[in-house]
């Protein structure tokens, strides 16, 4: 197993990420997009007896449907609070819940038949390290399945709207929505994977009738939004600006109480 040595700066970045995703109630947000997990399991044809690693698993949107096939599933995440929610909800499925950094996974080389991540690994700061680790822990001929928000879809646009109000990213951190661009994914994995299958798809979200309803939900539940508003909390004018910008964006995507959130699904075979 390759060892990646963290610097003090890396340690602080990880601590910030843990606090961000532990704030609010990310499992409530993940419930909005639960069909993505089942879709990724089906696309990978995960089956009973396979050994599956779900990276940046949260409360288990992929891990849970994978375990229901009879696969042996490890769900890993940097934020233990999310894993605790998943374990509490799904004690009967035999999933192993493991606190782990996507950039330095505590698993042996060639240890899994399949590795997955659903809008999870995209938020780790160093994309190349994550790709290295995904390839390392999957056996040759095994598969990696990813779903990530595209830069041009709704969530990618939401991050663009929030960026001027958010705290600056850590030095060297890459924007998460880049994982939703097929060329970026190809560049990360190179010739270490074959059989690239890329599909631009959407997931329907029907929880919001207005942009304001969406914005209030995300201000309460979604870590990146909570942190962004916390950064400008002492400036009511900027808060009002961001409120209006998010409302306008969400209203643009809502039609008849339905939104379509765009993602890139990538299925890769380890060479």
């Amino acid at each position: 197993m390759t060892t990646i040595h963290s610097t003090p700066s890396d340690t602080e970045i990880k601590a910030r990420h843990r606090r961000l995703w532990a704030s609010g109630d990310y499992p409530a947000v993940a419930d909005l997009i639960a069909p993505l997990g089942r879709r990724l399991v089906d696309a990978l044809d995960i089956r009973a007896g396979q050994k599956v690693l779900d990276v940046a698993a949260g409360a288990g949107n992929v891990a849970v449907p994978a375990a229901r096939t009879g696969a042996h599933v490890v769900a890993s995440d940097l934020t233990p609070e999310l894993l605790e929610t998943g374990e509490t909800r799904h004690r009967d499925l035999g999933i192993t819940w493991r606190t782990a950094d996507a950039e330095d996974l505590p698993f042996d080389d060639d240890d899994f038949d399949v590795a997955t991540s659903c809008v999870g690994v995209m938020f780790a700061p160093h994309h190349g390290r994550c790709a290295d680790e995904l390839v390392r822990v999957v056996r040759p001929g095994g598969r990696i399945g990813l779903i990530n928000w595209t830069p041009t879809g709704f969530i990618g646009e939401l991050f663009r709207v929030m960026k001027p109000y958010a705290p600056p990213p850590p030095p060297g951190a890459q924007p998460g929505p880049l994982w939703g661009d097929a060329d970026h994914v190809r560049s990360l994995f190179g010739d270490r994977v074959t059989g690239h299958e890329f599909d631009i798809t959407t997931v329907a979200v029907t929880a919001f009738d207005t942009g304001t309803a969406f914005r209030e939900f995300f201000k309460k539940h979604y870590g990146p939004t909570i942190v962004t508003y916390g950064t400008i909390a002492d400036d009511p004018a900027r808060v009002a600006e961001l409120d209006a910008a998010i409302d306008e964006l969400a209203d643009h995507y809502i039609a008849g109480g339905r939104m379509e959130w765009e993602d890139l699904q990538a299925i890769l075979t380890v060479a």
Side-chain angles (χ1 to χ4, degrees):
M1 183 174 70
T2 302
T3 300
I4 298 172
H5 298 288
S6 296
T7 67
S9 175
D10 287 335
T11 300
E12 173 54 27
I13 291 170
K14 302 304 180 184
R16 284 176 56 182
H17 272 251
R18 287 191 190 100
R19 292 193 297 270
L20 183 150
W21 293 108
S23 64
D25 183 3
Y26 181 71
V29 178
D31 287 344
L32 298 174
I33 56 170
L36 291 179
R38 178 76 255 176
R39 190 223 294 166
L40 193 55
V41 168
D42 290 342
L44 288 161
D45 193 25
I46 292 175
R47 301 180 182 183
Q50 288 185 317
K51 192 172 182 182
V52 177
L53 173 64
D54 188 18
V55 179
N61 267 20
V62 180
V64 168
R68 286 178 174 149
T69 70
H72 305 294
V73 179
V74 177
S76 69
D77 199 282
L78 188 66
T79 306
E81 292 88 345
L82 301 182
L83 299 176
E84 289 166 8
T85 297
E87 186 171 17
T88 299
R89 289 181 176 182
H90 305 289
R91 292 188 187 279
D92 59 323
L93 292 179
I95 298 169
T96 299
W97 303 89
R98 179 82 179 268
T99 302
D101 181 355
E103 298 180 0
D104 187 10
L105 294 169
F107 307 109
D108 291 333
D109 296 356
D110 307 335
D111 204 8
F112 294 90
D113 300 301
V114 179
T116 68
S117 188
C118 180
V119 297
V121 73
M122 67 179 289
F123 293 110
H126 304 109
H127 297 184
R129 291 185 191 175
C130 295
D132 293 347
E133 286 294 271
L134 287 167
V135 171
R136 181 184 65 77
V137 300
V138 175
R139 64 170 176 79
R143 299 214 285 175
I144 298 168
L146 307 169
I147 290 177
N148 295 304
W149 302 124
T150 65
T152 54
F154 174 66
I155 298 297
E157 288 201 54
L158 176 65
F159 277 94
R160 176 183 55 77
V161 166
M162 292 195 300
K163 183 177 179 180
Y165 305 89
Q174 295 172 277
L178 281 177
W179 278 93
D181 178 85
D183 289 338
H184 182 67
V185 176
R186 287 191 186 95
S187 73
L188 291 173
F189 290 94
D191 60 5
R192 297 176 296 175
V193 300
T194 62
H196 308 78
E197 301 172 28
F198 294 110
D199 292 292
I200 297 290
T201 60
T202 62
V203 61
V205 176
T206 58
F208 311 108
D209 292 325
T210 67
T212 300
F214 165 82
R215 183 242 303 163
E216 286 302 311
F217 182 89
F218 263 51
K219 283 176 75 170
K220 181 178 179 181
H221 296 291
Y222 191 53
T225 310
I226 292 168
V227 168
T228 298
Y229 273 97
T231 302
I232 59 173
D234 293 334
D235 190 337
R238 299 202 78 204
V239 170
E241 286 176 5
L242 182 55
D243 282 350
I246 292 177
D247 287 359
E248 181 181 4
L249 175 67
D251 279 329
H252 176 74
Y253 276 86
I254 295 171
R258 179 185 177 97
M259 307 175 79
E260 297 288 343
W261 296 2
E262 185 181 86
D263 64 86
L264 175 72
Q265 178 178 288
I267 306 297
L268 314 169
T269 302
V270 176

